[in-house]
Structure formats: C-alpha cells, structure tokens
Amino acid sequence: GRATLICSGLRSPQGLAYADEKLYICEAAGSCVTAVNLTKGIPTVRSVQTFKAWEESRSLPSACFATPSSLFVASAAKHAVFQMDLRSEDIVVVAGTPGIAGN
C-alpha cells in the first residue's frame, strides 16, 4: 500500500472521528481538536482548523465522536465529556463534572 500525508505537526494524537468530509483529531499534548477537510486533498493552512475553545481549556482531549452537527470529546484532564456545536463552536458538558474524577 501507499500512505498519503494528510496532516503534519500533530502533538500526541489520541483520538479520531470522521463526519461531513472532515477528520477530527484529538491532540492531547496540544490540548486541542484539529479538523482536517479531506475534500481539499493534502491540507493547507486553509483546510486545517484548530478549535480555540479546546486550546484555552487545556482539557487534554483523548477521544472523540462526530456527527454532521456536533463533536463529542472525552477529556482526560477534566474527567468529563463535552459536546461542541460545529457551527457555533459552543461547548457544553454532557457527562461528568469537569475537574472532579469519578463524578
């Protein structure tokens, strides 16, 4: 087989999800979620989007699941699961209590 580079410079990728022609990559070391638009071929700066809300929260995203309208992200550091609206980038907690393990 032949491999094709779709994104470089990732920092400890932990989880992947796919929806609506985009590949979502949870980067634990970068505390961010990166979206790669796969319809544009090898990504350029314009086709790679990093969600700033995840960078600001330092949440160590470790796993994700995507639908056409939402991205669900499990956070190892926050002990919670978050839902991000992919249009507005608003984030809500859907499971757990951020910062409290086992809750």
Side-chain angles (χ1 to χ4, degrees):
R2 186 172 184 210
T4 301
L5 176 66
I6 61 165
C7 192
S8 63
L10 297 175
R11 296 177 56 207
S12 190
Q14 298 291 310
L16 299 172
Y18 175 82
D20 199 27
E21 302 298 325
K22 290 185 181 173
L23 178 66
Y24 296 94
I25 305 166
C26 293
E27 295 184 60
S31 290
C32 66
V33 177
T34 299
V36 179
N37 186 330
L38 299 177
T39 63
K40 296 183 180 184
I42 296 176
T44 63
V45 172
R46 290 185 197 96
S47 64
V48 176
Q49 174 185 9
T50 299
F51 294 108
K52 297 297 179 193
W54 293 107
E55 288 182 328
E56 292 165 5
S57 69
R58 298 291 174 219
S59 63
L60 298 174
S62 55
C64 56
F65 173 79
T67 68
S69 62
S70 293
L71 179 67
F72 297 86
V73 179
S75 166
K78 300 289 184 183
H79 308 288
V81 177
F82 298 89
Q83 177 183 7
M84 175 187 280
D85 182 294
L86 292 173
R87 287 166 190 78
S88 68
E89 293 190 20
D90 290 337
I91 298 173
V92 296
V93 177
V94 294
T97 302
I100 300 175
N103 192 0

